């Protein structure tokens, strides 16, 4: 059953489990030591982590197809959250339907390892198809806004994220240490770790605001602390999960830390534009699904093309 | 049995996965009958969503109050409405002076059922709240001890509006208000009910949809 998983991937999943256990113990201890303080959000957050990581690990261990379906479902939730958040036009209901219908196709190309189609389906074909469908309906008021926002959503929530899934179908022989699942784990773990690291460094040492108009809580200290920690971890993990050399893994770490930050503040800008604090309520303690995958919408395609160019 | 299967295999997956709910104040949902759930109405999905919120063992005792002329207009629909949805058919036009269209509703409340009622009377324009009809006030007056839970729904009118057969997924807001009870006179009661639902509507973010 586990033939598609290498021992180091199993070990890495075990490591994540260990981190979760420690986080749960620490939060339980904090609650006991300071019964007067409110730790609800922290506890909810960790509980949501358990569920997310549980489903993700289950899919990874089960099979490659299950893992691809997992990412397809995340894309569906993200696109649905995005389309529920932004202004849409009544006339475009059927256009939105086609945008959703793109998700199974995109992940089917992944499953079939059809790289050429995977890489142009949304940027070329859907980019051309959806405005055409809008024109057939004939509503011209706010046409540009509708076509632009819809394509941005598809690129971010479906095209970008599907890169994480494409790691799964890359030739395993070129990455004997980790295989496809190893690269996925490397991407997801470092992206999420970077979020936490930037947050913790910012809380502990943050003074100078980095981008106050978009995200007032982000600081230079948090950002740089995150970049340093994430890059170091990227270099430590690379030989076990990826085909990257030491110098390459330095680049991968910087790419994930920097890309993760930008993905995060891009979704922050979207939320600020719309006027909401959280993108939804799907993940108690975190907010919506976009609040969790914001960094990944940048890191997934960036790391993928970095690794693909160098090794595949 | 058929109703259980229909809800377990079709309605729940549809509501929880394809649509997805954003529920606020879930603890205010009545857990036992008799009770009345009152909500704005934009889509056929409204009834299904409300039925999934209420306690699972109560399923047989959830009674959507629905227009007789619409839901009993042909045999297949009538069978579905009566045996799967367990609706209480409501006569929209009062035919004679001695008829009491609300009698079956009061009867159901006596049996401890939970009524689901849409005082706008029909689904109306998508995501626009119409004027409330006063049938609910008569019902409240006759059953002053029955709690009435106001619920605001948003998003289902986008997912499946009146006159459309194609479902397009959107997350749906379900905001539950504090229970109301008969306030002593009709005008007061209707005002407090409408303002309760409007106040719930103000709690959320509703993007433009035109």
């Amino acid at each position: 059953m586990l033939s598609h998983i290498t021992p180091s991937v199993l070990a890495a999943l075990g490591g994540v489990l260990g981190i979760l256990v420690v986080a749960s113990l620490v939060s339980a201890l904090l609650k006991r030591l300071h019964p007067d303080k409110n730790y609800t959000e922290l506890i909810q957050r960790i509980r949501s982590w358990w569920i997310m990581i549980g489903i993700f690990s289950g899919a990874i261990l089960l099979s490659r197809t299950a893992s691809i379906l997992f990412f397809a479902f995340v894309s569906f939730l993200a696109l649905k959250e995005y389309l529920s958040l932004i202004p849409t036009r009544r006339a475009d209901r059927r256009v939105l339907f086609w945008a959703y219908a793109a998700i199974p196709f995109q992940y089917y190309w992944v499953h079939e390892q059809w790289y050429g189609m995977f890489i142009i389906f949304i940027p070329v074909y859907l980019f051309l198809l959806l405005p055409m469908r809008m024109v057939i309906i004939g509503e011209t008021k706010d046409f540009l806004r509708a076509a632009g926002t819809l394509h941005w959503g598809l690129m971010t929530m479906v095209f970008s994220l599907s890169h994480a899934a494409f790691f799964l179908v890359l030739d395993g022989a070129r990455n004997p240490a980790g295989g496809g699942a190893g690269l996925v784990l490397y991407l997801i773990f470092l992206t999420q770790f970077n979020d936490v690291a930037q947050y913790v460094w910012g809380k502990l040492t943050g003074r100078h605001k980095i981008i106050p108009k978009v995200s007032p809580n982000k600081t230079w200290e948090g950002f740089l602390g995150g970049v340093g920690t994430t890059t170091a971890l990227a270099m430590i993990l690379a030989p076990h999960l990826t085909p990257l050399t030491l110098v390459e893994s330095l680049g991968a770490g910087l790419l994930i830390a920097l890309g993760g930050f930008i993905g995060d503040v891009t979704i922050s800008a979207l939320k600020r534009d719309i006027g909401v604090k959280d993108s939804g309520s799907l993940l108690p303690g975190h907010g919506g699904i976009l609040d969790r995958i914001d960094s990944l919408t940048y890191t997934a395609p960036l790391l993928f093309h970095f690794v693909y160019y160098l090794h595949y | 049995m058929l109703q259980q299967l229909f809800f377990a295999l079709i309605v729940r997956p549809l509501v929880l996965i394809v649509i997805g709910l954003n529920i606020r104040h879930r603890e205010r949902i009545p857990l036992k009958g008799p009770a009345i759930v009152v909500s704005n109405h934009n889509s056929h999905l409204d009834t299904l969503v409300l039925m999934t919120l209420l306690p699972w063992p109560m399923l047989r005792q959830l009674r959507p109050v629905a227009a007789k002329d619409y839901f009993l207009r042909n045999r297949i629909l009538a069978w579905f409405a009566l045996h799967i949805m367990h609706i209480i058919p409501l006569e929209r036009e009062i035919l004679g002076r001695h008829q009491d269209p609300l009698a079956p509703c009061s009867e159901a409340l006596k049996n401890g059922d939970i009524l689901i009622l849409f005082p706008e009377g029909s689904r109306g324009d998508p995501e626009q709240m119409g004027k409330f009809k006063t049938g609910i006030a008569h019902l409240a007056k006759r059953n002053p001890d029955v709690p009435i839970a106001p619920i605001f729904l948003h998003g289902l009118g986008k997912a499946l509006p009146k006159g459309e057969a194609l479902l397009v997924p959107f997350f749906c807001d379900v905001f539950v208000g504090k229970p109301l009870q008969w306030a002593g006179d009709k005008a007061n009661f209707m005002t407090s009910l409408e303002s309760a639902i409007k106040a719930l509507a103000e709690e959320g973010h509703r993007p433009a949809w035109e």
Side-chain angles (χ1 to χ4, degrees):
Chain A
M1 173 191 158
L2 293 177
S3 58
H4 61 293
I5 296 289
T6 66
S8 51
V9 168
L10 223 47
L13 283 176
V16 172
L17 201 70
I19 294 174
L20 265 186
V21 170
V22 171
S24 296
L25 289 176
V26 168
S27 67
L29 197 68
L30 276 174
K31 200 180 165 189
R32 182 164 288 191
L33 287 179
H34 309 280
D36 46 321
K37 279 195 191 163
N38 187 1
Y39 288 104
T40 318
E41 192 176 312
L42 179 73
I43 288 165
Q44 280 183 339
R45 220 179 156 91
I46 294 172
R47 189 176 301 154
S48 294
W49 272 123
W50 272 105
I51 295 168
M52 285 185 281
I53 292 172
I55 297 174
F56 171 71
S57 311
I60 290 280
L61 292 175
L62 195 60
S63 75
R64 200 169 81 175
T65 308
S67 313
I68 294 171
L69 284 174
F70 169 82
F71 284 110
F73 189 59
V74 172
S75 274
F76 168 69
L77 291 177
L79 186 66
K80 186 168 62 165
E81 199 170 83
Y82 172 74
L83 292 176
S84 305
L85 210 54
I86 65 162
T88 47
R89 303 188 302 171
R90 247 167 97 168
D92 286 341
R93 272 176 35 85
R94 270 144 214 278
V95 184
L96 301 187
F97 180 82
W98 285 109
Y100 281 113
I103 299 173
F105 282 100
Q106 176 69 2
Y107 284 90
Y108 177 71
W109 316 139
V110 174
H111 185 263
E112 297 303 300
Q113 298 172 263
W114 188 359
Y115 182 78
M117 191 53 144
F118 158 79
I119 211 71
I120 65 168
F121 179 64
I122 289 171
V124 178
Y125 292 125
L126 277 162
F127 177 67
L128 301 177
L129 177 80
L130 295 181
M132 184 194 85
R133 190 68 188 85
M134 285 179 182
V135 168
I136 293 173
I137 294 167
E139 177 64 61
T140 52
K141 188 170 184 295
D142 286 329
F143 168 79
L144 181 61
R145 188 202 70 195
T149 49
L150 185 56
H151 194 65
W152 193 82
L154 268 181
M155 286 297 286
T156 311
M157 315 306 164
V158 186
F159 182 69
S160 282
L161 281 182
S162 66
H163 283 75
F166 209 93
F167 273 132
L168 292 159
V169 300
L170 291 177
D171 180 9
R174 303 206 190 179
N175 181 18
L183 279 162
V184 171
L185 212 57
Y186 188 73
L187 166 73
I188 307 277
F189 178 69
L190 285 176
T191 303
Q192 303 303 343
F193 175 84
N194 181 57
D195 279 0
V196 177
Q198 294 199 356
Y199 174 80
V200 172
W201 279 105
K203 273 269 169 200
L204 294 178
T205 63
R207 281 257 153 77
H208 304 89
K209 293 192 188 315
I210 182 165
I211 186 162
K213 279 170 94 173
V214 179
S215 205
N217 293 327
K218 295 260 186 303
T219 59
W220 275 106
E221 292 81 357
F223 170 66
L224 293 172
V227 169
T229 331
T230 303
T231 308
L233 195 61
M235 293 168 78
I236 296 170
L237 291 177
H240 306 289
L241 297 172
T242 76
L244 299 171
T245 65
L246 190 67
V247 179
E248 288 167 0
S249 65
L250 173 82
L254 289 172
L255 208 56
I256 289 173
L258 200 67
F261 175 79
I262 299 169
D264 187 338
V265 293
T266 310
I267 298 296
S268 298
L270 166 76
K271 289 187 291 184
R272 197 155 275 256
D273 180 17
I274 288 167
V276 294
K277 191 178 151 284
D278 289 335
S279 66
S281 61
L282 198 62
L283 308 169
H286 298 254
I289 188 118
L290 294 185
D291 295 310
R292 194 63 276 135
I293 61 153
D294 47 6
S295 315
L296 203 59
T297 63
Y298 265 66
T299 58
L302 286 173
L303 183 74
F304 177 84
H305 289 294
F306 182 75
V307 175
Y308 192 77
Y309 175 73
L310 290 172
H311 291 273
Y312 290 90
Chain B
M1 181 61 197
L2 266 178
Q3 188 198 24
Q4 302 274 358
L5 276 179
F6 176 66
F7 271 80
L9 299 178
I10 298 172
V11 177
R12 283 190 178 251
L14 179 85
V15 168
L16 296 177
I17 296 171
V18 179
I19 295 170
L21 303 182
N22 169 27
I23 305 172
R24 283 201 202 161
H25 316 301
R26 193 180 191 127
E27 71 288 351
R28 293 177 182 167
I29 294 171
L31 295 177
K32 57 179 178 27
I36 306 175
V37 168
V38 174
S39 140
N40 58 325
H41 197 19
N42 290 304
S43 168
H44 281 319
L45 296 171
D46 294 340
T47 316
L48 296 176
V49 164
L50 292 173
M51 287 175 87
T52 62
L53 292 176
L54 293 158
W56 182 245
M58 284 286 301
L59 189 59
R60 274 202 70 85
Q61 283 184 284
L62 304 182
R63 310 296 305 276
V65 180
K68 188 173 177 181
D69 54 288
Y70 184 89
F71 285 97
L72 302 190
R73 69 176 185 270
N74 69 53
R75 281 174 66 184
I76 299 170
L77 190 61
W79 176 84
F80 177 78
L82 292 172
H83 292 96
I84 303 293
M85 300 298 290
H86 292 311
I87 69 160
I88 299 179
L90 185 74
E91 202 83 62
R92 277 201 277 204
E93 310 236 337
I94 297 171
L95 300 171
R97 275 188 66 88
H98 299 295
Q99 259 194 344
D100 176 10
L102 294 173
C105 296
S106 288
E107 196 61 33
L109 288 173
K110 282 205 186 70
N111 291 336
D113 292 355
I114 298 182
L115 301 189
I116 298 174
L117 216 120
F118 303 107
E120 286 166 276
S122 83
R123 288 166 293 162
D125 283 334
E127 303 297 326
Q128 300 285 325
M129 196 142 75
K131 185 129 186 63
F132 282 11
K133 296 194 164 41
T134 51
I136 174 71
H138 294 290
L139 207 54
K141 187 179 177 183
R142 273 189 234 173
N143 302 278
D145 300 327
V146 172
I148 297 165
I151 295 187
F152 173 72
L153 297 172
H154 169 74
L156 295 169
K158 290 157 82 173
L160 190 71
K162 193 175 181 173
E164 292 273 358
L166 180 79
L167 192 149
V168 177
F170 281 100
F171 274 103
C172 164
D173 286 335
V174 181
F175 298 166
V176 188
K178 292 195 183 110
L180 300 171
Q181 246 149 353
W182 173 243
D185 83 285
K186 198 166 106 181
N188 265 345
F189 175 79
M190 290 310 293
T191 318
S192 58
L193 180 65
E194 281 190 57
S195 55
I197 292 189
K198 285 197 175 119
L200 291 167
E202 296 306 314
E203 278 191 28
H205 160 78
R206 281 173 294 148
W209 195 64
E210 275 160 20

